[in-house]
């Protein structure tokens, strides 16, 4: 639809940016923090690990001042569970809680809304040794951990997120790194873990509404639209299969409190259906989100399955993510979209479509909590970082966000990845996403100086103009 007149972004639109604790904080074993599962992963040789990261733990005041200069209205970050509860449960670590209290207070002092993710891939390793998300006891541990944060910060934090990209952890477990020894859980184990996460999430959403009367909470799923390769009806079925299994199956449970029927039939047919406790159905129904958060990077194009091993292929540039499943779908190419140097599809219009589908399905406000382009940004001799490709990428996505708002989508805000350069899980600092450059290499920490990229000035002007720049 081509509109004759476009409405502007809402006056209270949350222009923000995002990070995660393990990728930005560093100080991995300081002040009582214990290891998380990501701290214990095997890292590619020569690639930065998470021990120092961008040293945000020691430099957060400087970083928040830069975020304020950038003009951020919101900052989405995660809390490191192991910093607050080193044993996963039980005794609270005062130093860990104090760090996040100081961070939140600094953000609020600069007029920046904190958006807090409770869990971003970094389960306490001590809980992993006890079975991790396969153990139902982790549900209680997560609820107790969330309760500590709600009690400590519920008077200052309005926006909460439960679990970041649960679908990525379940469908592509190798995407967040390989455990020592290189063995990933079987699919049936992963779907049992997923069920435990869904129950934990529902209980935490209900708890948030009890403990934080003014708070809002929701899930954060990596969500994208699927295109069918051709107008062949079987391609349409395959695209719907994968969009349902990859996206809606997770969000349907979070929002409606019940499993998607197609997804449940798939789980039963493949022998993957999780075991449920008698009270689980009621618990899933009791936890309701106030909004939905989506991480959007690209779309996918899908063809009908051939029913054999030829359906499965590695995503371009990433051997950790396999695409396709016999009898379900096969990945296909889309000649109408671009790609990053890492093989990720660039599809701004797909963001508009994804927002429309998500809003029409759930009728809840949407917050975009990740969107961005990774590249090997280079510090030039004159001290500048030219990332015009990032500016162009974001400009095109912002245009589509405005169109989605005019389509009727209730869009709360935009928190692209990332506020500052962070450790990429697989590429370290060779792939950067931030508006702010961190002067370090893979092993050479250099001076960790913060340097504004060209995109910093562009986003600063965009925020000041409430999205009207270039129009």
């Amino acid at each position: 639809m081509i509109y004759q007149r476009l409405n502007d972004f809402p006056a209270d639109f949350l222009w923000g940016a995002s990070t995660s604790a393990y990728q930005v904080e560093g100080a991995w074993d300081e002040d009582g923090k214990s290891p998380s599962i990501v701290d214990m992963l095997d890292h590619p040789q020569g690639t930065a690990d998470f021990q120092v990261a961008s040293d945000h733990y020691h430099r957060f005041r400087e970083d928040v001042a830069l975020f304020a200069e950038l003009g951020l209205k919101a900052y989405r970050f995660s809390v490191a569970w192991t910093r607050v509860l080193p044993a996963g449960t039980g005794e609270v670590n005062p130093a860990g809680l104090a760090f996040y209290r100081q961070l939140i207070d600094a953000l609020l002092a600069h007029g920046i809304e904190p958006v807090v993710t409770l869990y971003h891939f970094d389960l306490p390793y001590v809980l992993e040794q006890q079975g991790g998300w396969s153990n139902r006891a982790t549900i209680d541990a997560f609820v107790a951990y969330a309760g500590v944060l709600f009690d400590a910060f519920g008077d200052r934090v309005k926006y909460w997120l439960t679990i970041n990209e649960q679908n990525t952890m379940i469908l592509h477990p190798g995407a967040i790194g390989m455990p020592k020894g290189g063995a990933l859980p079987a699919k049936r184990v992963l779907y049992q873990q997923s069920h435990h996460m869904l129950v934990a999430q529902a209980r935490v959403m209900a708890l948030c509404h009890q403990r934080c009367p003014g708070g809002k909470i929701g899930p954060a799923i990596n969500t994208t639209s699927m295109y069918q390769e051709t107008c062949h009806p079987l391609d349409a079925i395959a695209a719907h299969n994968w969009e349902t299994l990859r996206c809606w199956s997770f969000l349907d449970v979070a929002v409606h409190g019940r499993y998607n029927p197609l997804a449940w039939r798939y789980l039963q047919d493949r022998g993957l259906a999780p075991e449920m406790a008698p009270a689980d159905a009621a618990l899933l129904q009791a936890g309701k989100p106030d909004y939905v958060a989506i991480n959007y990077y690209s779309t996918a194009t899908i063809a009908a399955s051939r029913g054999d091993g030829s359906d499965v292929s590695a995503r371009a540039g990433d051997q950790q993510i396999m695409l396709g499943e016999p009898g379900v779908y096969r990945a296909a190419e889309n000649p109408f979209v671009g790609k990053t140097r890492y093989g990720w599809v660039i599809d701004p219009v797909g963001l508009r479509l994804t927002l429309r589908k998500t809003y029409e399905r759930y009728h809840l406000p949407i917050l975009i909590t990740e969107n961005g382009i990774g590249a090997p940004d280079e510090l030039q001799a004159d001290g500048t970082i030219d990332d015009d490709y990032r500016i162009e990428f974001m400009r095109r996505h912002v245009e589509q966000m405005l169109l989605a708002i005019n389509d009727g989508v209730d869009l709360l805000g935009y928190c692209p990845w990332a506020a500052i350069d962070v450790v990429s899980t697989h590429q370290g600092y060779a792939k950067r996403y931030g508006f702010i450059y961190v002067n370090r290499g893979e092993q050479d920490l250099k001076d960790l100086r913060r340097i504004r990229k060209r995109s910093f000035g562009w986003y600063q002007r965009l925020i000041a103009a409430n999205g009207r720049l270039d129009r």
Side-chain angles (χ1 to χ4, degrees):
M1 185 182 300
I2 299 175
Y3 293 102
Q4 298 179 20
R5 183 183 64 82
L6 287 177
N7 296 322
D8 291 330
F9 283 94
D12 59 351
F13 192 77
L14 293 175
W15 296 101
S18 295
T19 64
S20 79
Y22 79 90
Q23 292 174 278
V24 75
E25 286 181 3
W28 77 288
D29 62 350
E30 292 187 35
D31 295 336
K33 181 183 178 298
S34 68
S36 71
I37 56 173
V38 291
D39 292 320
M40 303 302 290
L41 295 173
D42 281 332
H43 302 281
Q45 188 172 7
T47 299
D49 58 25
F50 308 114
Q51 294 189 10
V52 176
S54 297
D55 200 33
H56 180 66
Y57 185 77
H58 298 113
R59 299 167 183 255
F60 75 91
R61 295 190 189 280
E62 174 189 357
D63 292 341
V64 171
L66 282 168
F67 299 164
E69 180 186 336
L70 182 56
L72 296 189
K73 308 297 183 185
Y75 173 51
R76 180 242 178 167
F77 63 96
S78 71
V79 171
W81 186 340
T82 53
R83 204 177 287 288
V84 175
L85 294 171
T89 60
E91 187 174 350
V92 175
N93 176 26
L97 211 58
F99 168 72
Y100 292 109
R101 181 178 294 109
Q102 293 172 55
L103 173 59
I104 290 168
D105 287 348
L107 291 168
L108 292 173
H110 284 285
I112 301 171
E113 192 82 56
V115 180
V116 179
T117 306
L118 298 172
Y119 178 65
H120 194 125
F121 300 159
D122 51 353
L123 185 73
Y125 189 65
V126 64
L127 295 184
E128 179 69 10
Q129 291 176 303
Q130 298 167 20
W133 284 109
S134 295
N135 184 350
R136 283 193 68 98
T138 301
I139 299 174
D140 294 330
F142 183 61
V143 175
Y145 156 65
V148 169
L149 298 186
F150 294 155
D151 290 344
F153 309 127
D155 60 335
R156 279 163 284 183
V157 174
K158 180 179 180 180
Y159 294 101
W160 300 89
L161 298 167
T162 53
I163 298 174
N164 180 74
E165 292 193 3
Q166 180 179 340
N167 54 343
T168 296
M169 288 187 281
I170 301 307
L171 299 172
H172 307 294
I176 62 171
M178 295 295 291
K180 295 188 184 304
L184 294 172
K187 287 184 71 171
R188 192 178 191 287
V189 173
L190 287 167
Y191 278 106
Q192 187 66 55
Q193 292 178 358
S194 181
H195 177 71
H196 292 161
M197 288 184 200
L198 291 167
V199 173
Q201 174 173 256
R203 287 182 57 188
V204 164
M205 290 191 295
L207 184 66
C208 181
H209 294 140
Q210 294 170 11
R211 303 264 184 103
C212 311
K216 297 182 181 297
I217 191 165
I221 296 295
N222 186 303
T223 308
T224 186
S225 294
M226 304 291 174
Y227 303 135
Q228 58 198 63
E229 183 184 33
T230 72
C231 55
H232 194 295
L234 291 180
D235 283 352
I237 289 291
H240 184 257
N241 283 344
W242 189 226
E243 190 172 273
T244 299
L245 296 176
R246 187 189 183 282
C247 306
W248 311 136
S249 62
F250 294 89
L251 284 172
D252 280 1
V253 182
V255 176
H256 300 310
R258 53 171 170 72
Y259 276 83
N260 177 284
L262 175 62
W264 187 252
R265 179 69 183 102
Y266 161 83
L267 293 174
Q268 288 181 317
D269 184 69
R270 265 61 174 179
L272 304 173
E275 295 180 5
M276 297 190 188
D280 285 355
L283 291 172
L284 293 175
Q285 282 286 325
K288 299 295 183 183
D290 302 290
Y291 67 103
V292 171
I294 68 169
N295 296 348
Y296 174 88
Y297 289 95
S298 59
T299 50
T301 301
I302 305 300
S305 166
R306 295 190 180 111
D308 57 30
S310 69
D311 287 335
V312 181
S313 60
R315 184 172 70 180
D318 192 347
Q319 295 298 316
Q320 302 298 331
I321 293 185
M322 303 304 292
L323 301 175
E325 182 178 343
V328 181
Y329 80 104
R330 175 168 51 89
E333 288 295 320
N334 186 343
F336 302 105
V337 296
K339 285 189 177 182
T340 72
R341 62 179 293 163
Y342 296 99
W344 289 33
V345 167
I346 300 175
D347 184 6
V349 177
L351 174 57
R352 179 186 183 185
L353 180 61
T354 301
L355 289 169
R356 283 164 55 151
K357 287 184 175 183
T358 304
Y359 189 67
E360 288 172 0
R361 191 176 186 97
Y362 301 115
H363 302 287
L364 288 173
I366 301 171
L367 179 64
I368 299 171
T369 41
E370 289 184 30
N371 173 245
I373 182 170
D377 298 333
E378 295 181 3
L379 179 62
Q380 302 300 315
D382 63 358
T384 62
I385 301 99
D386 183 358
D387 60 344
D388 282 349
Y389 45 82
R390 181 168 291 109
I391 294 171
E392 177 62 12
F393 177 95
M394 295 188 65
R395 181 188 65 78
R396 293 171 61 198
H397 283 77
V398 168
E399 288 175 350
Q400 296 300 319
M401 285 159 41
L402 182 62
L403 289 171
I405 289 172
N406 279 269
D407 293 335
V409 174
D410 184 357
L411 189 59
L412 291 173
Y414 179 55
C415 295
W417 189 265
I420 186 170
D421 284 345
V422 300
V423 187
S424 172
T425 304
H426 297 297
Q427 286 89 12
Y429 282 90
K431 184 165 73 169
R432 297 170 180 260
Y433 284 87
F435 296 109
I436 300 165
Y437 184 89
V438 176
N439 190 37
R440 64 158 292 176
E442 298 301 333
Q443 307 301 326
D444 182 2
L445 295 179
K446 301 182 181 178
D447 58 8
L448 290 165
R449 184 163 41 104
R450 275 57 171 147
I451 304 169
R452 301 161 186 81
K453 302 180 187 179
R454 285 193 64 179
S455 60
F456 183 101
W458 176 85
Y459 196 44
Q460 183 185 55
R461 294 189 296 275
L462 180 83
I463 294 172
N466 196 31
R468 291 186 62 88
L469 196 64
D470 299 332
R471 287 200 288 127

